[in-house]
């Protein structure tokens, strides 16, 4: 967004700042100024002079000698080769010591070109007459300038006056970086409103008066909007008895400062109001509008339309069109049609100011490959309440400039009026958010300058419809901060509840799992969550198993990645297989990853995701090695009691005699075992493979990092060994359960130190030997204390069918 600084100053009369001061202040108040270009940067000592007398040069056919009145009561002599000057012409003169911007061909020189007295072919010349290019501009911006030659002022130009001022070049063009949510700032009035608030000056907006004769526009044109979702407002006015002529110099200069080429009064007025109010408008020749009717509708599929640039555009049903009773006459918000364009022969003109859906305009512009100044504004989403004000301003200028007779009234299709919003005024909250201590009165003074009204009874701020960016308390706090001054906000420490800054309990358990696994020689792996349905066959999972009920991927990369895994084994076994076939020995891997269990089929909601700790190994070590890793992990997270193993694990992918489900306090928390030989073969391995899977959500429920300190024992321990013969079906865990229940308060610990099955033991039995340690915290144990505990243990074992070993 660029604006003329002189135009801004005309709307903020009290504004007295240099270019740099203005840019710095605007940037600090939130309207970031990117740069500045002085239009008169290299122009010095240039005045209006009048040619009094012209004589031929005595020694050059293409040069003439001019006597020029510069308003000081004396004439100076200037030699020129310009072919277009005559006696009486008033022209820009550069005096001795002055500067011009560049050459006659428009070429620019850094710092300009300094003009000095001198002689041209022997004749003295005391200055230079200037073309528009030498004044730093071009014929595009000053269409009255000759193609070759000196710029000639109007006859009423005052001799001796500043020529640069007369050309409107004592100005700066300020470039801003405006965010897309500040649509109001894509206009000169919007920037001026920010400048007035920033510098605490009065904003003096144009006074728009009611215009029009006693007729009504509704008698000339009918408007129907068929797609209100894409066109929220459409305003039409009519101007008759059109008189095409150049626009006044002041308007041409303001347009030129914004890089817009002046064309004629009608086109210049629409461009001027678009810059001033940020509301694009379009004009149609009313005599070309069939049926004197405007219909706003979507285009037809494969419909074609020739725009003002002469290009045929292919349309579809998503593009909004402005049509008459027979045909399209314009692409809404982008460009009008060749069939309704304004020509020099126009008699009656239809003025359009509308508000179109910004997203639709952006997509339509991209689709047809045409982006205009109007579309770039519409696509940001305009305030529909601005349309009537802008079109009335344009009609006012038409009357003031004598460009036509404005017909009274307007056709206004506005089914749902856009209202401003209300936001509670909460200064304490804004101060907490900003870390400031701005008083309520100061905040309200900022908001008044921004035209945000305050309803004291409701304690609410009334947000105008053109401030679309203000939606919540954070936005209001930002407005307060902008005008309090970001540089004035003190440095404060963050406020809020204190946090410990540590990992959550769940993450601490997972960290303990990683630490234990890695300490025991396992390396972490990561496996895909996407798998193939064929995995279940490789794992020998039955057809009716719940594990085959999976979440299917809607757009899979292929069948091998078409479902979400319900068991974590495939990824682990695939990784072990890769290592095995690359001849890596003694491989140990672990993974912490989710399985995905659908809550119902077909899937209507997100599946249950359960984190699983999977341990896999082959080579050195066996079932008990892996069991030891699990128990070390359990001990680390406070789960050392009530841990049980059930050998009757019915899992088809595990060896039926070398596997177990793991229970803690009666709840299943995982399983462990040797992988079934057929499954091992399915994964192209020839070694014994061991797997353990722990269900982390269940473990997190039972885990604890609470520890109770126990001092060093003051009294000696008593140790008793017990060797027994038990049926094979009795598990060591069953025997240890007897120790727990019958050992009494003095049993400190027990340990299995021998197990034997062989010819010296009768068939169907096994020999186990335990060491039991007894200790009291209060006294030295007597033999009777130990004997009592041992008798209870032996009686319980005898009832189970366990015998003491005799030899």
């Amino acid at each position: 967004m660029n604006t003329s600084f002189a135009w801004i100053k005309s709307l903020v009369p009290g504004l007295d700042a240099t270019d740099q001061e203005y840019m710095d202040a605007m940037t600090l108040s939130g309207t970031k100024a990117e740069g500045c270009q002085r239009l008169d940067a290299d122009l010095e000592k240039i005045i209006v002079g009048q040619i009094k007398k012209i004589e031929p040069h005595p020694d050059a056919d293409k040069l003439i000698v001019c006597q020029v009145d510069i308003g000081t009561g004396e004439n100076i002599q200037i030699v020129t080769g310009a072919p277009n000057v005559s006696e009486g012409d008033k022209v820009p003169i550069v005096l001795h010591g002055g500067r011009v911007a560049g050459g006659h061909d428009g070429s620019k020189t850094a710092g300009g070109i300094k003009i000095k007295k001198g002689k041209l072919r022997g004749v003295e010349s005391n200055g230079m007459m200037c073309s528009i290019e030498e004044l730093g501009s071009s014929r595009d911006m000053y269409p009255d300038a000759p193609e070759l030659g000196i710029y000639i002022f109007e006859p009423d130009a005052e001799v001796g006056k500043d020529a640069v001022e007369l050309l409107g070049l004592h100005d700066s063009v300020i470039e801003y970086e405006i965010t897309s949510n500040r649509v109001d700032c894509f206009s000169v009035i919007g920037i001026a409103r920010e400048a007035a608030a920033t510098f605490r000056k009065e904003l003096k907006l144009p006074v728009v008066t009611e215009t029009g004769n006693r007729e009504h526009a509704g008698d000339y044109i009918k408007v129907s909007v068929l797609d209100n979702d894409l066109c929220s407002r459409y305003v039409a006015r009519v101007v008759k008895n059109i008189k095409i002529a150049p626009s006044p110099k002041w308007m041409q200069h303001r347009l030129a400062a914004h890089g817009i080429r002046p064309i004629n009064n009608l086109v210049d007025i629409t461009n001027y109001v678009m810059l001033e109010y940020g509301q694009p408008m379009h004009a149609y020749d009313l005599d070309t509008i069939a049926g004197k009717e405007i219909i706003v509708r979507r285009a037809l599929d494969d419909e074609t339309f020739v725009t003002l640039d002469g290009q045929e555009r292919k349309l579809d049903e998503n593009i909004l069109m402005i049509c008459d009773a027979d045909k399209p006459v314009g692409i809404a918000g982008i460009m009008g049609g060749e069939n309704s364009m304004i020509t020099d022969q126009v008699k009656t003109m239809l003025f359009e100011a509308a508000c179109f859906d910004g997203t639709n305009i952006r997509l339509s512009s991209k689709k047809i490959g045409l982006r205009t100044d109007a579309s770039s504004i519409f696509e940001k989403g305009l305030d529909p309440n601005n349309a009537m004000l802008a079109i009335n301003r344009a009609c006012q200028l038409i009357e003031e400039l004598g460009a036509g007779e404005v017909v009274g009234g307007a056709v206004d299709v506005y089914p749902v009026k856009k209202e401003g919003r209300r936001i509670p005024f909460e200064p304490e909250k804004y101060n907490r958010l900003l870390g400031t201590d701005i008083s309520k009165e100061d905040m309200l003074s900022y908001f008044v300058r921004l035209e945000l009204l305050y309803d004291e009874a409701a304690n609410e701020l009334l947000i105008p419809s053109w401030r679309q960016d203000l939606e919540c308390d954070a936005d209001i706090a930002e407005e307060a901060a902008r005008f309090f001054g970001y540089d004035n906000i003190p440095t404060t420490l963050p406020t809020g509840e204190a946090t410990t800054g540590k990992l959550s309990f769940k993450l601490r358990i997972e960290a303990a799992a990683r630490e234990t696994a890695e300490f025991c020689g396992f390396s972490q792996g990561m496996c895909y969550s996407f798998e193939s349905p064929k995995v279940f066959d490789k794992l020998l999972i039955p057809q009716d198993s719940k594990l085959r009920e999976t979440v299917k991927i809607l757009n899979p990369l292929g069948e091998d990645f078409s479902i979400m895994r319900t068991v974590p084994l495939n990824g682990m076994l695939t990784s072990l297989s890769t290592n095995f076939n690359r001849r890596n020995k003694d491989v140990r891997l672990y993974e912490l990853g989710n399985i995905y269990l659908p809550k119902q089929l077909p899937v209507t909601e997100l599946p249950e995701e359960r984190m699983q700790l999977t341990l896999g190994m082959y080579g050195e070590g066996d079932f008990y090695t892996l069991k030891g890793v699990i128990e070390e992990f359990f001990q680390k997270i406070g789960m050392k009691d009530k841990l049980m193993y059930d050998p009757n694990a019915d899992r088809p992918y595990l060896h039926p005699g070398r596997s177990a489900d793991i229970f803690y306090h009666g709840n299943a928390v995982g399983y462990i075992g040797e992988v079934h030989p057929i499954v091992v073969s399915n994964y192209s391995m020839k070694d014994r493979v061991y797997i353990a899977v722990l269900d982390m959500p269940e473990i997190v429920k039972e885990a604890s990092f609470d520890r109770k300190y126990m001092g060093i024992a003051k009294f000696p321990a008593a140790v008793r060994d017990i060797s027994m013969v038990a049926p094979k079906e009795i598990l060591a865990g069953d025997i240890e359960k007897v120790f727990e229940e019958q050992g009494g308060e003095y049993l400190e610990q027990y340990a299995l130190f021998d197990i034997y099955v062989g010819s010296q033991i009768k068939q169907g039995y096994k020999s186990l030997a335990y060491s039991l340690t007894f200790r009291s915290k209060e006294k030295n144990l007597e033999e009777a204390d130990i004997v009592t505990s041992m008798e209870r243990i032996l009686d319980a074992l005898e009832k189970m069918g366990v015998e003491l070993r005799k030899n």
Side-chain angles (χ1 to χ4, degrees):
M1 175 67 189
N2 295 347
T3 67
S4 157
F5 194 19
W7 196 348
I8 297 296
K9 287 181 176 179
S10 71
L11 297 176
V12 189
L15 178 57
D16 182 21
T18 65
D19 297 347
Q20 192 61 51
E21 289 170 346
Y22 172 80
M23 290 193 298
D24 291 345
M26 291 293 282
T27 298
L28 284 174
S29 68
T31 308
K32 185 179 179 183
E34 287 281 281
C36 171
Q37 178 189 359
R38 286 293 309 179
L39 300 182
D40 60 355
D42 301 317
L43 305 179
E44 296 178 11
K45 298 178 71 174
I46 304 176
I47 62 170
V48 177
Q50 184 174 24
I51 301 174
K52 293 297 187 179
K53 184 178 181 180
I54 297 178
E55 296 177 336
H57 193 287
D59 293 327
D61 295 337
K62 294 185 179 181
L63 297 178
I64 55 175
V65 181
C66 304
Q67 303 301 318
V68 183
D69 179 8
I70 59 172
T72 60
E74 60 177 345
N75 296 339
I76 63 171
Q77 179 171 290
I78 295 178
V79 178
T80 181
N84 67 316
V85 294
S86 304
E87 290 183 356
D89 287 346
K90 294 179 179 179
V91 297
I93 301 294
V94 188
L95 302 177
H96 169 69
R99 291 181 184 274
V100 293
H104 183 79
D105 59 356
S107 59
K108 300 288 172 53
T109 304
I113 299 172
K114 191 168 185 178
I115 304 301
K116 298 179 180 179
K117 293 180 180 180
K119 292 185 177 182
L120 290 176
R121 300 292 290 269
V123 176
E124 183 178 347
S125 181
N126 296 308
M128 186 181 83
M129 301 179 190
C130 300
S131 68
I132 196 64
E133 288 80 11
E134 289 164 330
L135 294 171
S137 191
S138 68
R139 291 186 66 248
D140 283 341
M141 301 304 156
Y142 291 82
D144 58 336
E147 184 175 357
L148 294 171
I150 304 303
Y151 184 84
I152 299 175
F153 289 110
E154 297 291 332
D156 59 352
E158 186 178 347
V159 175
K161 289 296 183 180
D162 186 347
V164 177
E165 181 179 0
L166 198 59
L167 289 167
L169 293 174
H170 280 319
D171 195 4
S172 300
V173 177
I174 311 294
E175 179 184 357
Y176 308 88
E177 181 184 324
I178 306 297
T179 55
S180 58
N181 66 329
R182 288 302 306 271
V183 183
D184 57 301
C185 287
F186 285 91
S187 66
V188 174
I189 287 178
I191 296 294
R193 185 181 288 113
E194 289 291 312
T198 299
F199 289 92
R200 301 173 183 265
K201 303 295 182 182
E202 181 185 359
L203 177 65
K204 188 175 181 181
L205 297 179
V207 178
V208 181
T209 57
E210 186 176 351
T211 57
N213 58 24
R214 296 191 177 185
E215 299 176 283
H216 195 278
D219 298 330
Y220 284 80
I221 191 71
K222 176 184 176 184
V223 177
S224 301
V225 178
L226 304 185
D227 291 278
N228 290 320
D229 58 326
L230 300 183
C231 177
S232 56
R233 189 178 194 182
Y234 191 99
V235 182
R237 296 202 67 177
V238 176
V239 181
K240 64 182 186 178
N241 301 325
I242 299 295
K243 298 173 185 177
I244 300 292
S247 55
K249 295 297 183 185
W250 64 266
M251 182 176 285
Q252 291 188 29
H253 294 164
R254 283 186 175 176
L255 293 175
H258 286 79
I260 297 178
R261 179 170 64 92
I263 298 176
N264 58 47
N265 49 5
L266 292 181
V267 175
D268 291 354
I269 285 171
T270 58
N271 286 332
Y272 182 85
V273 175
M274 180 176 73
L275 290 173
E276 189 174 43
Y277 282 86
Q279 172 66 55
M281 291 184 291
H282 190 69
Y284 302 95
D285 186 339
L286 187 59
D287 294 331
T288 66
I289 304 299
K292 298 299 181 282
E293 180 179 13
I294 288 293
I295 302 171
V296 184
R297 63 164 175 83
R298 294 174 185 265
L300 305 176
D301 271 338
D302 297 327
E303 188 174 7
T304 59
F305 180 69
V306 179
T307 47
L308 279 171
D309 56 3
Q311 299 293 314
E312 184 177 87
R313 311 286 176 178
K314 187 174 180 181
L315 313 174
D316 64 27
E317 62 179 5
N318 294 315
I319 297 175
L320 192 66
M321 300 298 293
I322 310 298
C323 308
D324 61 20
D326 296 336
K327 62 187 182 300
V329 294
I331 303 177
I334 300 177
M335 185 177 280
E338 196 174 48
N339 55 11
S340 61
M341 65 186 295
I342 298 292
T343 64
D344 291 343
Q345 288 73 44
V346 65
K347 299 300 182 185
T348 307
M349 179 183 69
L350 173 66
F351 242 154
E352 163 197 289
C355 186
F356 304 113
D357 179 72
T359 302
N360 178 263
I361 296 298
R362 178 177 58 82
L363 294 175
S364 299
S365 177
K366 185 177 182 181
K367 189 171 295 181
I368 65 175
L370 178 62
R371 195 167 191 266
T372 61
D373 290 340
S375 69
S376 66
I377 296 176
F378 274 122
E379 68 188 23
K380 294 174 175 65
L382 300 185
D383 175 18
N385 293 327
N386 198 37
M388 182 63 80
L389 188 63
I391 201 169
N392 287 342
R393 171 65 167 160
C395 289
Q396 178 188 28
L397 289 172
I398 286 174
E399 283 199 349
E400 290 178 357
L401 302 183
E405 180 184 353
V406 178
V407 175
V411 179
D412 185 9
V413 180
Y414 194 11
V416 181
K417 184 177 180 181
K418 182 175 182 179
E419 302 290 350
R421 63 176 64 88
R422 287 172 171 261
I423 298 178
F425 179 54
E426 303 172 294
E428 296 82 7
K429 182 183 287 186
Y430 311 149
N431 279 320
R432 287 198 304 271
L433 189 63
L434 299 172
T436 55
D437 189 20
I438 308 172
S439 69
K440 174 182 176 180
E441 293 72 21
D442 285 344
M443 285 191 189
L444 289 175
S445 71
Y446 304 153
F447 300 153
V448 167
R449 302 207 307 266
L450 293 167
E451 300 182 35
L452 309 182
L453 303 181
Y454 176 55
D455 183 347
E456 187 173 1
N459 192 37
E460 291 178 328
L461 294 172
L462 309 181
I463 311 301
S465 58
W466 41 265
R467 283 305 300 270
Q468 300 179 30
D469 60 307
L470 301 183
E471 297 181 343
C472 62
D473 52 6
D475 299 325
I476 301 301
E478 181 183 11
E479 296 303 291
R482 290 201 297 136
F483 295 100
F484 176 72
Y486 290 116
D487 52 334
N488 294 325
I489 295 177
T491 302
T492 58
L493 293 174
T495 59
E497 296 180 2
T499 58
T500 58
K502 63 182 179 182
L503 294 175
S504 66
F505 183 74
K506 172 179 174 292
L507 293 179
R508 291 173 66 196
I509 298 297
E510 292 176 8
R514 292 188 185 91
E515 184 179 344
T516 303
E518 290 169 6
F519 178 79
C520 294
F522 287 76
S523 298
Q524 186 172 13
M526 296 186 69
C527 304
Y528 290 117
S529 296
F530 298 165
E531 289 188 336
S532 168
K534 298 175 182 178
V535 164
F536 301 118
D537 294 332
K538 293 178 70 174
L539 293 174
L540 308 181
I541 293 175
Q543 292 295 327
D544 59 351
S545 173
K546 292 281 289 184
L547 296 176
R548 288 183 179 262
E549 297 178 4
T550 61
V551 177
K552 294 181 173 58
I553 309 301
L554 291 178
N555 55 341
L557 298 175
E559 186 183 11
D560 288 346
F561 301 95
S562 61
I563 62 170
M564 304 296 290
R565 65 180 180 177
T566 56
V567 288
L569 299 181
N570 176 66
M572 178 59 67
L573 292 175
T574 300
S575 298
L576 291 173
S577 174
T578 300
N579 280 275
F580 182 84
N581 288 291
R582 292 181 180 174
R583 299 185 179 181
N584 291 326
K585 298 180 179 180
D586 303 327
V587 174
R588 297 185 180 189
L589 300 176
Y590 80 94
E591 180 198 13
L592 272 168
N594 287 336
I595 59 171
Y596 303 84
L597 306 177
K599 297 175 183 176
Q600 61 183 20
L601 292 177
V603 175
T604 58
E605 58 181 315
L606 293 175
E608 180 185 6
E609 299 183 28
R610 298 188 70 86
M611 178 71 71
Q612 308 283 287
L613 171 62
T614 307
L615 301 165
M617 57 179 281
Y618 68 80
E620 184 180 353
D622 55 16
F623 177 95
Y624 295 103
T625 305
L626 192 56
K627 178 172 175 284
V629 175
I630 292 172
E631 292 181 350
E632 184 167 341
F633 168 55
F634 283 159
Q635 186 171 10
K636 188 176 184 68
I637 60 174
M639 292 174 62
K640 57 184 178 179
D641 299 325
K642 307 296 184 182
L643 187 63
M644 298 294 295
Y645 297 87
D646 182 2
N648 299 313
D650 185 18
R651 299 184 183 272
Y653 38 81
L654 297 181
H655 195 297
R658 300 170 186 169
S659 60
D661 285 338
I662 306 171
F663 290 85
Y664 188 78
H665 284 181
N667 297 322
V669 296
Y671 54 89
I672 182 175
E674 181 182 331
V675 179
H676 198 289
I678 296 177
V679 175
V680 172
S681 177
N682 289 341
Y683 283 89
S684 304
M685 290 186 282
K686 297 179 181 179
D687 203 345
R688 289 190 176 186
V689 179
Y690 299 94
I691 287 285
V693 176
L694 300 180
D695 188 35
M696 296 302 287
E698 289 296 327
I699 288 173
V700 170
K701 292 179 186 177
E702 303 286 353
S704 172
F705 288 107
D706 294 340
R707 298 290 185 270
K708 184 177 180 181
Y709 172 73
M710 304 275 299
I712 298 174
K714 298 180 180 178
F715 302 98
V719 180
R720 297 290 185 269
D721 290 344
I722 179 172
S723 180
M724 66 197 81
V725 176
K728 282 187 177 180
E729 60 269 17
I730 294 179
L731 304 177
D734 297 332
I735 295 172
E736 292 172 0
K737 186 177 181 181
V738 171
F739 296 159
E740 293 279 353
E741 294 175 351
Q742 305 299 328
E745 61 176 321
Y746 300 137
L747 180 62
E748 184 178 72
Q749 66 180 24
Y750 52 84
L752 176 67
F753 66 86
D754 182 61
I755 184 169
Y756 173 75
V757 177
S759 58
Q760 297 183 26
I761 303 298
K762 58 184 177 180
Q763 191 171 1
Y765 282 76
K766 58 185 175 183
S767 171
L768 300 104
Y770 278 90
S771 176
L772 283 67
T773 302
F774 295 89
R775 191 196 306 267
S776 172
K777 298 176 183 177
E778 290 82 19
K779 64 177 183 176
N780 285 318
L781 290 178
E782 298 180 359
E783 183 66 22
D785 298 324
I786 300 172
V787 168
T788 302
S789 295
M790 289 298 296
E791 286 177 350
R792 289 199 304 268
I793 290 172
L794 293 175
D795 287 344
L797 290 175
E798 185 177 353
K799 292 176 182 178
M800 291 175 56
V802 177
E803 305 171 2
L804 289 179
R805 189 171 177 180
K806 305 300 182 181
N807 51 21

